[in-house]
Amino acid sequence: MSEFTTRWQLRLLAAQHDLVDACGGIARVMEKTGYSKGQVGRWNGGIDRDLMSLGVVLTLEEDCGRPFVTAVMAEFHGRTLTDASDNGKRVAHLEEQVAGLVEQAGRLVVETVKARADGIVTPNEATILRGISSKISGLTAAIDDALAGVQAAGGLKVVGGE
């Protein structure tokens, strides 16, 4: 069994910070847990940091759907978190998001070339390009969110590969 060292405590504190961010920041965590701004701030960082109670950890991890603190606690005991029933779906969804991003990026290139062909980008063409760019931003945010979940869970595994 590992010794609970400063390194492990710092990892838990960093996981708490990530958890507060994933749940929408200090104000949202205050609403969700009923704790004061000062207390949530001590969980989130600063000089005098506190560890969250298990009840708060469980509440917030359920709220954001990511096991930030639980994953560190499991790792402390030499374990990892897995969700075998969901892994294939998560991998497929991530691949689908990345494919959508590539598709929209290609579309943006094509539409940009078309718009610049006559040397003038009209307001209508700019509207089309902004729409595509907005879709790309949404896909990028969704991919970042999915990958943050993968990091928190300690990775994704494809069992029986496809």
Side-chain angles (χ1 to χ4, degrees), residues 147-161:
L147 292 174
V150 169
Q151 284 179 309
L156 269 180
K157 297 179 184 103
V158 179
V159 179

Side-chain angles (χ1 to χ4, degrees), residues 1-152:
M1 183 165 158
S2 298
E3 180 182 345
F4 188 75
T5 60
T6 303
R7 175 181 165 262
W8 283 106
Q9 182 171 2
L10 291 174
R11 290 195 59 207
L12 282 171
L13 292 169
Q16 284 183 176
H17 174 80
D18 292 343
L19 181 58
V20 169
D21 284 350
C23 288
I26 292 175
R28 174 109 187 342
V29 170
M30 287 171 49
E31 291 173 18
K32 191 73 182 165
T33 64
Y35 282 90
S36 70
K37 182 177 183 178
Q39 181 60 58
V40 176
R42 286 189 293 278
W43 294 334
N44 195 44
I47 296 172
D48 298 322
R49 298 194 292 180
D50 291 341
L51 289 172
M52 294 176 177
S53 69
L54 288 176
V56 170
V57 169
L58 294 173
T59 298
L60 295 178
E61 287 183 344
E62 180 181 25
D63 182 60
C64 75
R66 297 187 207 154
F68 289 102
V69 176
T70 302
V72 174
M73 291 190 301
E75 187 179 341
F76 175 79
H77 291 288
R79 309 269 193 244
T80 59
L81 301 179
T82 60
D83 189 0
S85 65
D86 170 70
N87 240 356
K89 292 177 189 171
R90 289 174 58 200
V91 169
H93 186 63
L94 181 60
E95 289 172 350
E96 183 180 310
Q97 289 173 318
V98 171
L101 177 64
V102 171
E103 177 185 1
Q104 291 302 319
R107 188 168 167 229
L108 182 62
V109 170
V110 169
E111 293 299 325
T112 301
V113 169
K114 286 180 183 178
R116 290 187 39 138
D118 60 0
I120 301 169
V121 177
T122 66
N124 187 43
E125 291 168 330
T127 300
I128 292 169
L129 293 174
R130 285 189 69 210
I132 298 168
S133 178
S134 178
K135 287 179 185 176
I136 289 171
S137 294
L139 285 166
T140 301
I143 291 168
D144 285 346
D145 189 51
L147 292 174
V150 169
Q151 284 179 309

